[in-house]
Amino acid sequence: MQLLLAGIVVLPLVGALAALLPAPPGLRGKNPDQAVLRHGVTVTGAVLAAAIALAVGFDHARPARMQATTDLSWIPALDIRIHLGVDGISLPLVVLTALLTFLCALYSYFHLPAGPSPKAFVALLLTLEAGTLATFAVLDLMLFFLAFEMVLIPMYFLIARWGGARRQAAAWKFILYTLLGSVVMLLGLLLIGVKSGTFDMVALATDNGPKAQLSHTVQLLAVLAIGIGLAVKSPMWPLHSWLPDAHTAAPTVGSVLLAGVLLKMGTYGFVRIALPITPEGMHTFAPYLAALAAVGIIYGSLACLALVRKGAGGDLKRLIAYSSVGHMGFVLLGIATMTPTGVNGALFANIAHGLITGLLFFLVGALKDRTGSTDLDTLARSAGIRPAASGAAALLPAPSGAALYARAPRFGGLLAFGAVASLGIPGLAGFWGEMLAMFGAFRPAAGLSRPAFLTFMVMAGLGTLLTAAYLLLVVRRVCMGGTVDLAGAAVHGATHSAGTSGDDPAGGTGGASGTSGAAPNGTPAPSPALPDLPDLARYEYAAWSPLAALTVLAGLWPAALLGLTDPAVQQLLGGGK
């Protein structure tokens, strides 16, 4: 188990280096580009297999204990150690990261985004995976910071070199925001290490350990500094503005990994560092964190409603990015309650958001490839008016820009499933995290203002209603087709009918003129057929069905995840007891 976890962290780095080397003659095949993409699928598949083996070998009877640990001295003068381990909190995030990266590599094998060398793409993807896995596996504050920063460069280049319109500006905004936040976070981590005498996260999490040397003032300063860096990555309102631009410009796999795993690094830091190591400082700032989280829930939903409005020119990728601000608000609200119920809800919502939003970004990217746009007005525009079976006087909307139910029913059904899962319907994964986070806010930790948290809970509940509103509007416009001006259509139909119902000069009727929408024999003319829209391909089934299946499984069997996280959360909040 010890070697397995170390291999999970190191193997993607080795694979990234190997991707840049020339392929051996026997593995080049006819297409060198496909050979390096196969390499990416192979390495990420091996990492996923190792992560599953780690989960199977994990002692589920003691999920609060750190397992598969490695503890080696690295920089003795500063007591910085190569300390790895997983418990019930980090194990699901390790498996989620390995799964999403493998699905991204598999999808890219069949549909590589336009850009420079595939070798660089695969190397960056594997480096990104290594940094993310290390963030969830390391137990030393300095190693955590290094892993936290390791993901920035590969994500920057994925956006800047393989992204869409305005990719350079979005990439710079992403890296500047996160780097500035990380500099402040580093100051907080150094403050804890200097004042306590160690950077070991396990030792610092116990009440009778080095944490006892951290005064209330030190904890306040540390939480403030660390919290800013983590809040940028989470992302928390109002430090979220880099996210919509990054998602809109990023390639499909970049958006999937950014939403599915990179955002989780910030909220994981709150649970792993801020809650157990600086509880007094966290207790002071918890109401402010909850307030900002509640505002973020409402803000994200209102922004999505503005984007989905007809004529607003909203971008579907941008809408899902803003929805992430709202969903991650539930995660931060659960953490701010400082209760086992709320923190468990936050961890569950983390996993649910990774599965559901990862699926949605896959679908939206494929929709852009099929239609050439993610503009909602373009996708839902009316394609004109077609005659009804009763004749020209009764006119109906023609098939719309996307109208996925009619043109690609399986694709439309999967998109509707992702939207319904994202709005938190019972029976799917999105429900449990949001419900537990609000339940934690109903009765927060001792010493926190219950009236304030009840207000935040009501705001979060309102956010769920707004979320349902904009997601159902998305389904209506994209899957069912846009709406047309039925009043205008009726006027047009009445005028058209009046102009053709009388005798024409030739003694015929208007039905023979061909302008009424009816054929000379009186039967209605067929409506113009829109070009075929490809439905789900086999590789898309392979890349997306695991996310849909796990969304259903987590919704129907939440105990599988809560059974892992709850004992670890109880021990974390109990000061190691």
Side-chain angles (χ1 to χ4, degrees), residues 41-388:
V41 174
T42 302
V43 174
T44 56
V47 173
L48 176 60
I52 294 174
L54 181 69
V56 171
F58 188 81
D59 186 355
H60 292 261
R62 293 186 292 175
R65 183 174 66 90
M66 283 294 171
Q67 302 182 34
T69 57
T70 297
D71 192 1
L72 304 172
S73 179
W74 184 33
I75 306 178
L78 300 177
D79 194 27
I80 298 176
R81 309 182 66 80
I82 301 176
H83 193 181
L84 306 176
V86 290
D87 61 358
I89 294 172
S90 53
L91 179 63
L93 292 168
V94 169
V95 176
L96 176 67
T97 301
L99 172 65
L100 284 177
T101 311
F102 169 70
L103 296 180
C104 286
L106 180 64
Y107 182 80
S108 299
Y109 178 79
F110 294 97
H111 197 283
L112 182 69
S117 165
K119 284 189 173 185
F121 178 84
V122 172
L124 291 170
L125 189 69
L126 292 173
T127 305
L128 183 67
E129 180 182 33
T132 311
L133 289 169
T135 301
F136 299 136
V138 298
L139 297 172
D140 184 275
L141 291 177
M142 287 297 100
L143 280 184
F144 175 86
F145 175 78
L146 293 176
F148 198 84
E149 296 302 287
M150 183 178 171
V151 304
L152 300 184
I153 300 302
M155 181 53 72
Y156 167 82
F157 281 109
L158 285 175
I159 296 172
R161 304 301 297 275
W162 284 268
R166 297 181 58 83
R167 57 182 182 266
Q168 291 291 343
W172 275 110
K173 194 171 185 179
F174 160 76
I175 200 165
L176 287 177
Y177 260 79
T178 49
L179 275 177
L180 289 174
S182 298
V183 169
V184 180
M185 184 179 73
L186 177 60
L187 297 176
L189 297 176
L190 290 173
L191 179 62
I192 290 176
V194 170
K195 292 296 183 180
S196 66
T198 183
F199 292 101
D200 189 272
M201 294 159 68
V202 176
L204 286 166
T206 58
D207 284 341
N208 57 354
K211 180 173 65 176
Q213 302 179 42
L214 300 177
S215 66
H216 181 72
T217 302
V218 169
Q219 291 195 30
L220 285 176
L221 294 174
V223 167
L224 182 61
I226 295 171
I228 290 174
L230 298 176
V232 171
K233 187 66 71 75
S234 293
M236 182 183 74
W237 181 91
L239 302 175
H240 69 285
S241 60
W242 61 270
L243 183 69
D245 292 340
H247 270 308
T248 304
T252 297
V253 295
S255 294
V256 170
L257 293 176
L258 182 59
V261 292
L262 262 68
L263 302 189
K264 313 303 177 286
M265 295 165 61
T267 52
Y268 173 78
F270 276 110
V271 175
R272 180 63 74 192
I273 298 173
L275 279 178
I277 297 177
T278 55
E280 294 180 23
M282 190 66 185
H283 193 277
T284 300
F285 283 107
Y288 304 102
L289 177 62
L292 294 174
V295 171
I297 294 171
I298 300 295
Y299 172 82
S301 300
L302 291 177
C304 291
L305 280 172
L307 288 171
V308 79
R309 182 172 52 85
K310 183 179 178 181
D315 186 277
L316 189 53
K317 285 188 75 174
R318 196 173 188 86
L319 183 145
I320 297 175
Y322 272 111
S323 77
S324 293
V325 176
H327 288 307
M328 298 309 290
F330 281 98
V331 178
L332 293 169
L333 177 62
I335 294 170
T337 66
M338 299 187 68
T339 62
T341 301
V343 176
N344 276 303
L347 294 172
F348 199 104
N350 254 348
I351 301 299
H353 179 265
L355 296 172
I356 297 169
T357 308
L359 174 61
L360 285 174
F361 274 118
F362 267 133
L363 289 165
V364 174
L367 184 61
K368 183 176 182 180
D369 295 333
R370 284 163 165 79
T371 64
S373 176
T374 53
D375 179 81
L376 279 164
D377 290 331
T378 301
L379 294 174
R381 72 182 183 273
S382 173
I385 299 173
R386 61 181 172 87

Side-chain angles (χ1 to χ4, degrees), residues 380-388 394-401 403 406 476 480-487 489-490 527-528 530:
R381 72 182 183 273
S382 173
I385 299 173
R386 61 181 172 87
L395 301 173
L396 298 176
S400 301
R476 179 187 174 188
M480 302 178 185
T483 58
V484 297
D485 186 356
L486 295 180
S527 59
L530 291 177

Side-chain angles (χ1 to χ4, degrees), residues 436-478:
L436 290 173
M438 289 191 289
F439 193 70
F442 180 75
R443 198 176 298 278
L448 296 177
S449 172
R450 193 179 183 210
F453 273 83
L454 286 175
T455 303
F456 304 146
M457 182 192 73
V458 171
M459 293 174 66
L462 176 60
T464 61
L465 298 178
L466 296 175
T467 300
Y470 71 73
L471 285 172
L472 292 177
L473 284 172
V474 167
V475 172
R476 179 187 174 188
R477 299 194 70 195
V478 178

Side-chain angles (χ1 to χ4, degrees), residues 402-417 479 533-536 541:
L404 292 178
Y405 285 165
R407 302 177 63 193
R410 289 184 291 274
F411 191 102
L414 191 56
L415 180 61
F417 168 83
C479 296
L533 195 67
D535 214 331
L536 295 180
Y541 273 117

